Amino acid sequence: MDKIINIEDVKWIKGGQEILKDINWMVKSGEHWAVLGLNGSGKTSLLNIVTGYNYPTMGDVTILDTTFGKASIPEMRKRIGVVSTALERFDATLNNQTVEDIVLSGKFSSFGIYQEVTDKDRRKAESIMADLRLDYLHGKYYRTLSQGEKRRAIIGRALMTEPDLLILDEPCSGLDILSREDVLGITESIKERESHLIYVTHHIEEITDVITHVLLMKDGEAVVSGKKEDVLTSENLSDIYKTPVKIHWENKRPWLSISSK
């Protein structure tokens, strides 16, 4: 599988409004991408195309060798893991579950375990917890965790299915700096599990060394895409953020400051 995502000339129109405009985007095997843009830039709409929850008004989409209109979208979704703050609506259910059961539930795409769990499943969940530095929370209930620990537990849940594509949609939203760095610190283990990572944010300092490529979104358009060192320039970011900014690199991560006009 050479191409993980291949989107060609895609438009998405809703209520007569063109939300996505002539999107072209290719993610190749072995690449890990960040999708960057302001709120309302089209990031979520693009994700909904990738996961098959929105169907393009025009254009061609192939995700994980599944060409839209020619293959099963539900089967494709089984190969994609999604972590989003939208999952917080299930907190009432999650609160009374242990961390290991939350990770295990990912096998069944459920919130709670209602099917038989094998010893092999438990060993796999324990391995994921160890990789994500969650093993010290064994037996702890979700409601007792910090926000950063909760996000890592949900990421662990997504990894139970060994997804070919893992989408982290603003996973650090609402976290303090310590919890944020805790979540960002596990991206290396995601890479080692051979999932292709799509990290969606509007904060460039969340783009860790694991990310190889960046797509910049603005007003429903894919403005620039390519290797992160080429894309993350002061000029490009001033354009998508609609204000003058400067970028500098520290510890292999980009950082942003507002430039005087």
Side-chain angles (χ1 to χ4, degrees):
M1 185 168 53
D2 294 330
K3 298 177 184 177
I4 306 302
I5 295 173
N6 192 30
I7 292 176
E8 297 180 340
D9 302 321
V10 160
K11 295 179 184 287
W12 185 59
I13 299 171
K14 182 180 180 182
Q17 182 179 359
E18 193 175 44
I19 307 298
L20 295 177
K21 311 168 186 177
D22 298 318
I23 300 291
N24 288 278
W25 183 31
M26 182 187 297
V27 175
K28 296 180 180 179
S29 179
E31 296 177 349
H32 303 280
W33 283 71
V35 179
L36 195 67
L38 293 173
N39 292 335
S41 62
K43 301 189 304 295
T44 298
S45 297
L46 179 60
L47 286 188
N48 287 337
I49 294 284
V50 170
T51 52
Y53 289 104
N54 286 342
Y55 203 86
T57 307
M58 295 178 61
D60 299 311
V61 176
T62 300
I63 310 294
L64 300 173
D65 288 338
T66 301
T67 300
F68 285 24
K70 298 181 179 180
S72 171
I73 300 299
E75 286 301 310
M76 176 200 76
R77 289 195 194 112
K78 293 178 182 179
R79 301 168 61 193
I80 301 176
V82 180
V83 174
S84 168
T85 54
L87 297 177
E88 290 176 354
R89 67 184 186 273
F90 298 106
D91 275 4
T93 301
L94 294 169
N95 280 337
N96 295 317
Q97 297 177 38
T98 61
V99 173
E100 57 268 29
D101 281 350
I102 288 171
V103 174
L104 276 166
S105 70
K107 177 184 177 181
F108 311 106
S109 298
S110 61
F111 290 93
I113 298 176
Y114 310 102
Q115 301 179 52
E116 183 179 356
V117 175
T118 66
D119 289 340
K120 181 179 179 180
D121 293 333
R122 293 195 181 279
R123 288 193 297 270
K124 183 176 179 180
E126 289 170 1
S127 172
I128 290 172
M129 289 178 65
D131 282 351
L132 301 189
R133 305 192 304 276
L134 289 168
D135 43 350
Y136 72 98
L137 293 173
H138 199 281
K140 299 292 185 181
Y141 285 91
Y142 187 79
R143 64 177 178 269
T144 69
L145 307 184
S146 70
Q147 286 300 110
E149 290 168 340
K150 287 179 178 180
R151 297 284 167 84
R152 284 158 52 207
I154 295 300
I155 292 171
R157 176 182 176 274
L159 289 173
M160 266 300 287
T161 59
E162 298 181 357
D164 294 307
L165 180 62
L166 179 62
I167 298 172
L168 301 185
D169 185 8
E170 300 193 9
C172 296
S173 176
L175 299 185
D176 61 32
I177 188 169
L178 180 62
S179 297
R180 182 192 72 180
E181 294 304 309
D182 205 20
V183 170
L184 293 176
I186 66 174
T187 53
E188 184 67 40
S189 64
I190 294 171
K191 174 185 175 182
E192 290 171 357
R193 286 186 169 271
E194 299 184 352
S195 288
H196 291 83
L197 180 62
I198 304 296
Y199 190 100
V200 183
T201 184
H202 50 265
H203 297 293
I204 70 164
E205 66 271 15
E206 294 176 11
I207 298 176
T208 64
D209 189 39
V210 169
I211 299 298
T212 60
H213 292 69
V214 174
L215 170 66
L216 301 184
M217 298 285 296
K218 176 187 174 185
D219 299 332
E221 298 184 72
V223 179
V224 186
S225 64
K227 293 183 178 180
K228 66 180 179 184
E229 295 84 0
D230 298 329
V231 171
L232 295 177
T233 66
S234 298
E235 181 180 3
N236 286 339
L237 292 173
S238 295
D239 179 37
I240 68 159
Y241 286 135
K242 303 179 181 181
T243 191
V245 299
K246 289 183 179 179
I247 184 173
H248 71 277
W249 293 80
E250 188 173 337
N251 296 324
K252 298 182 179 180
R253 283 169 61 179
W255 299 83
L256 197 69
S257 59
I258 303 298
S259 177
S260 58
K261 296 183 180 180

